[in-house]
């Protein structure tokens, strides 16, 4: 009998390491061995470059080993929180390891030869959500134990009173986002497919041998770059007019291909005058807006135009919308580093803080929380609406919302990384099966962000059954968070309804916003709820 305990770099690390001997001491008494596996970012980096290291410095690819382990039915794994690294975080790690004597290569932003291309491909394996898709082979069933919940009620976390005069809002694109442009299809027969881009220079195959299984849900969509920029420009004006903070909430770690680009657009729109005025110099320096303002400020250090650029930077900060700050004392803004603000942590923290964030002077202020894609933004909008109507949430009396989540077999966005592309020019993205039939097709413009997702039938059925099982075991109200206006969800709703009918069960199906509002109503009454959701 054995449990594998992961050593990581977050959570914080102190908790990971201090809890381990306690686990070992207790379980050792009953003959259960606890072994460790280092899947920290530094270990994952080192595992990619054994040829660059001395023999004594080499480490096993523990993540690959665990990837095999989790496919065994008797596997027990305690996965502590790990960093899903952004490029700035990766570069910091590389520098730290090099300073400690590990001769690993630098990260090449723009590979200039085959060797650098190979190096970048290796680093891509450890970027973003590198761990979860490997380890989360099953769907998730997440809840807190009764003892933990009772402790939390008796020792409630700090919540700042919500002022009903608050100007805080959640803003998302009116059109042109992933939600609006989604198309989906239920695969009738197992096949192989390819993702192509048809442009001025003919057809380019972007991904080949995409295995599609019978009855899986395949969807594809894109976000319009023009609509995104227009959205950002409009929201900057809203913040200036109402004198509220501008804050951007994305997940540039897990969504490691799409969201850094969405982040970069915000940087370029907010600092448009700077990028327009110094375009040539910033290009020469290799500044990539997707990596945030911090990279810009670092790379101009030795530029002959440093003072001019800094002057323009400070001028924009002074006259444009006030930015939400990550660290007011150090002048670190919301747009400094893409991984500094992660939506599923930043939004709850903001909402618990009276729906306010901090300005450059460290003062709390109302904010315009930008979450461009309405697929997810509406659940946070629901909380703001609930606070406006019903007032501050009291953790000492609230019920709990547990979650049954669809993530098995890299479901939905979890598996989109290798199927996400930026349009190099105006053209058409399409998914074509091995018989040449076009499954899905999107006409796009240069810069648009395209991605395709899958949800395997087996994963969906297991997810539905887990939701039913959790509802039966607890007696709590369960809700499937699915929106019939989203094509992939519409297909999923058909599968859910068929399965519920087969099992003789009656479980509500609501769009995410309505599901969130209903869940808030339940927990305010001290009841528990079960959210059965996709990656939302």
């Amino acid at each position: 009998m054995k449990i594998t305990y992961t050593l990581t770099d977050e959570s914080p690390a102190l908790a990971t390491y201090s809890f381990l001997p306690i686990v070992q001491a207790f379980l050792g008494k009953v003959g259960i061995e606890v072994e460790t596996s280092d899947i920290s970012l530094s270990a994952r980096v080192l595992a990619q470059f054994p040829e660059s290291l001395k023999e004594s410095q080499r480490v096993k690819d523990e993540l690959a080993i665990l990837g095999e382990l989790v496919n065994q039915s008797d596997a027990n794994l305690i996965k502590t929180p790990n960093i899903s690294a952004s490029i700035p975080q990766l570069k910091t790690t590389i520098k730290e390891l090099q300073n400690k004597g590990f001769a690993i290569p630098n990260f090449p932003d723009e590979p200039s030869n085959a060797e650098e291309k190979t190096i970048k491909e290796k680093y891509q394996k450890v970027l973003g959500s590198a761990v979860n898709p490997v380890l989360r082979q099953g769907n998730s069933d997440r809840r807190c134990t009764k003892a933990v919940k009772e402790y939390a009620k008796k020792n409630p976390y700090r919540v700042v009173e919500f002022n009903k005069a608050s100007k805080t809002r959640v803003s998302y694109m009116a059109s042109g986002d992933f939600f609006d442009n989604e198309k989906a299809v239920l695969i009738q027969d197992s096949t192989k497919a390819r993702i192509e881009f048809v442009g001025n220079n003919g057809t380019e195959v972007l991904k080949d041998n995409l295995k599609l299984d019978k009855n899986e849900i395949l969807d594809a969509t894109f976000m319009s770059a023009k609509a995104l920029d227009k959205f950002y420009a409009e929201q900057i004006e809203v913040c200036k007019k109402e004198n509220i903070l501008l804050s951007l909430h994305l997940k540039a770690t897990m969504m490691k291909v799409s969201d850094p680009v969405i982040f970069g657009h915000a940087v370029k729109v907010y600092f448009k005058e700077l990028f327009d005025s110094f375009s040539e110099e910033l290009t020469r320096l290799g500044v990539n807006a997707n990596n945030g303002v911090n990279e810009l400020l670092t790379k101009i250090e030795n530029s002959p135009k440093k003072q001019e650029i800094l002057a323009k930077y400070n001028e924009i900060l002074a006259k444009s919308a006030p930015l939400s700050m990550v660290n007011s004392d150090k002048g670190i803004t919301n747009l400094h580093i893409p991984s500094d603000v992660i939506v599923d942590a930043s939004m709850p923290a903001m909402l618990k803080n009276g729906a306010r964030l901090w300005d450059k002077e460290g003062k709390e202020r109302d904010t315009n929380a930008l979450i461009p894609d309405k697929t997810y933004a509406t659940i946070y909008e629901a909380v703001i609406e609930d606070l406006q109507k019903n007032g501050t949430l009291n953790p000492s009396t609230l019920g709990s919302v547990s979650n049954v989540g669809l993530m098995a077999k890299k479901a939905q966005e979890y598996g989109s990384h290798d199927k996400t592309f930026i349009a190099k020019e105006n053209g058409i993205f399409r998914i074509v099966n091995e018989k040449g039939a076009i499954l899905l097709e999107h006409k796009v413009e240069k810069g648009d962000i395209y991605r395709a997702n899958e949800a395997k039938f087996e994963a969906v059925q297991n997810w539905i059954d887990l939701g039913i099982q959790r509802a039966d075991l607890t007696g709590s109200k369960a809700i499937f968070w699915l929106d019939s206006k989203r094509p992939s969800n519409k297909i999923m709703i058909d599968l859910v309804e068929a399965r519920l009918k087969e099992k003789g069960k009656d479980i509500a199906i609501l769009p995410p916003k309505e599901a969130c509002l209903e869940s808030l109503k339940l927990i305010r009454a001290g009841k528990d709820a079960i959210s059965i959701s996709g990656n939302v």
Side-chain angles (χ1 to χ4, degrees):
M1 296 178 70
K2 185 172 67 175
I3 293 175
T4 303
Y5 184 98
T6 58
L7 300 176
T8 55
D9 32 32
E10 207 173 32
S11 107
L14 177 61
T16 297
Y17 282 86
S18 60
F19 185 52
L20 175 60
I22 299 171
V23 174
Q24 289 172 323
F26 273 85
L27 296 184
K29 298 294 183 184
V30 289
I32 298 175
E33 178 191 353
V34 181
E35 66 175 14
T36 60
S37 178
D38 188 350
I39 56 170
S40 62
L41 178 57
S42 55
R44 287 168 11 229
V45 166
L46 295 176
Q48 293 298 317
F49 298 99
E51 70 284 351
S52 302
L53 303 173
K54 301 171 187 173
E55 194 168 337
S56 61
Q57 294 177 325
R58 292 173 188 168
V59 300
K60 294 179 183 177
D61 189 345
E62 295 283 3
L63 184 58
I65 294 168
L66 292 184
E68 295 294 323
L69 175 68
V70 294
N71 284 312
Q72 299 173 21
S73 61
D74 60 347
N76 272 298
L77 179 68
I78 297 176
K79 191 195 85 70
T80 53
N82 62 279
I83 288 174
S84 294
S86 63
I87 289 175
Q89 282 177 310
L90 176 63
K91 287 180 176 179
T92 301
T93 299
I94 292 168
K95 186 177 179 181
E96 186 177 337
L97 286 168
Q98 290 171 339
N99 290 341
K100 290 182 180 293
F102 296 91
I104 55 174
N106 289 323
F107 178 84
D109 288 296
E110 300 292 338
S112 58
N113 52 49
E115 183 186 1
E116 287 187 353
K117 187 178 179 183
T118 300
I119 290 169
K120 186 169 184 177
E121 286 172 354
K122 286 187 174 185
Y123 276 128
Q124 292 282 6
K125 292 179 182 178
V126 303
L127 272 173
S129 185
V131 173
N132 288 346
V134 174
L135 300 186
R136 290 179 175 173
Q137 292 303 309
N139 291 310
S140 66
D141 185 352
R142 292 183 271 202
R143 58 194 183 277
C144 70
T145 63
K146 190 174 187 296
V148 169
K149 179 64 180 179
E150 290 306 313
Y151 180 86
K153 282 185 171 185
K154 290 173 185 174
N155 303 273
Y157 50 80
R158 178 177 173 269
V159 174
V160 176
E161 193 76 17
F162 179 79
N163 183 346
K164 290 192 177 184
S166 172
K167 294 180 183 177
T168 290
R169 68 184 67 187
V170 173
S171 297
Y172 44 85
M173 295 169 68
S175 61
D177 62 351
F178 290 130
F179 184 94
D180 278 349
N181 293 319
E182 184 175 285
K183 296 178 182 179
V185 62
L186 184 68
I187 301 300
Q188 299 301 317
D189 296 294
S190 295
T191 185
K192 285 185 179 177
R194 62 186 182 273
I195 301 177
E196 300 177 341
F197 181 76
V198 184
N200 293 328
N201 298 317
T203 301
E204 179 186 2
V205 177
L206 301 173
K207 185 172 181 64
D208 208 355
N209 295 315
L210 177 61
K211 186 184 174 189
L212 303 176
D213 297 330
K214 182 178 179 178
N215 288 332
E216 79 164 71
I217 302 167
L218 173 71
D219 71 77
T221 186
F222 72 95
M223 178 176 281
S224 163
K226 282 184 182 176
L228 178 63
D229 288 347
K230 182 171 179 283
F231 164 74
Y232 283 140
E234 289 171 349
Q235 298 310 314
I236 288 169
E237 291 306 311
V238 167
C239 293
K240 286 164 68 175
K241 183 180 177 182
E242 298 195 11
N243 195 27
I244 57 176
L245 299 178
L246 180 81
S247 60
L248 179 63
H249 303 261
L250 298 170
K251 196 156 189 174
T253 49
M254 200 276 270
M255 301 309 300
K256 62 183 178 181
V257 183
S258 59
D259 281 27
V261 177
I262 298 171
F263 181 90
H265 275 271
V267 173
K268 285 184 283 189
V269 172
Y270 188 89
F271 293 101
K272 186 177 187 303
E273 289 181 24
L274 189 153
F275 280 89
D276 287 348
S277 301
F278 301 97
S279 173
E280 194 175 309
E281 178 66 359
L282 296 180
T283 300
R284 183 187 73 80
L285 294 170
V287 171
N288 185 346
N290 297 355
N291 294 335
V293 172
N294 191 66
E295 178 174 285
L296 182 150
L297 296 176
T298 301
K299 287 194 170 182
I300 65 169
E301 271 302 306
N302 298 316
S303 167
K305 296 190 176 182
K306 175 186 173 181
Q307 294 307 323
E308 294 174 61
I309 295 172
L310 279 178
K312 177 58 74 173
Y313 170 77
N314 288 319
E315 177 194 324
I316 293 169
L317 284 180
K319 71 182 183 182
S320 191
L323 284 178
S324 165
M325 305 298 287
V326 169
N327 188 320
S328 305
D329 294 338
K330 295 183 178 180
I332 298 174
T333 73
N334 185 184
L335 299 180
H336 260 61
I337 300 173
S339 55
D340 270 354
V341 180
I342 304 301
V343 62
D344 50 1
S346 61
M347 286 301 294
M350 181 198 85
L351 293 163
K352 286 191 290 188
N353 192 51
R356 308 187 97 194
L357 291 171
W358 291 266
D359 66 11
K360 62 183 180 182
E361 295 173 359
K363 294 177 181 176
E364 295 178 355
R365 289 171 65 178
D366 294 340
T367 185
N368 185 5
L370 309 188
I371 307 175
D373 182 24
K374 72 174 72 68
T375 311
Y376 310 115
T378 58
I379 67 170
Y380 299 110
E381 182 181 49
V383 182
I384 293 288
E385 288 182 10
D386 177 82
L387 291 172
Q388 289 281 6
K389 182 180 177 182
N390 301 306
T392 309
L393 288 157
N394 180 1
S396 64
T397 60
L398 290 177
S400 291
V401 183
S402 58
N403 178 255
V404 176
L406 175 61
M407 60 177 66
K409 297 183 180 294
K410 299 182 181 179
Q412 297 183 305
E413 291 91 339
Y414 269 105
S416 69
H417 309 316
D418 61 347
K419 297 181 282 293
T420 301
F421 307 97
I422 312 303
K424 296 177 183 176
E425 58 180 337
N426 294 353
I428 296 171
F429 282 107
R430 64 189 186 195
I431 304 179
V432 184
N433 71 11
E434 56 194 350
K435 294 180 180 177
I438 297 173
L439 300 175
L440 297 169
E441 185 175 67
H442 286 89
K443 188 176 181 180
V444 298
E445 296 182 332
K446 182 179 179 180
D448 288 351
I449 306 161
Y450 172 91
R451 72 179 182 212
N453 307 304
E454 298 174 81
K456 302 291 186 183
F457 180 73
E458 182 187 4
V460 174
Q461 291 295 96
N462 173 260
W463 167 69
I464 298 168
D465 289 349
L466 271 177
I468 293 170
Q469 181 185 64
R470 181 54 41 198
D472 286 347
L473 285 170
T474 63
S476 300
K477 178 166 183 177
I479 304 170
F480 281 94
W481 293 37
L482 298 169
D483 193 336
S484 61
K485 292 179 182 176
R486 184 180 178 189
S488 61
N489 276 195
K490 192 173 189 302
I491 297 171
M492 209 169 283
I493 287 170
D494 291 340
L495 297 178
V496 170
E497 288 178 338
R499 191 67 165 174
L500 290 175
K501 186 177 180 181
E502 182 185 327
K503 296 275 189 177
K505 301 294 180 181
D506 181 20
I507 296 179
I509 303 172
L510 294 173
K513 182 174 180 178
E514 285 71 19
C516 189
L517 287 169
E518 178 62 20
S519 299
L520 285 161
K521 183 179 175 181
L522 288 165
I523 63 172
R524 278 186 182 274
K527 299 176 183 176
D528 293 339
I530 303 165
S531 59
I532 312 171
S533 67
N535 285 348
V536 74

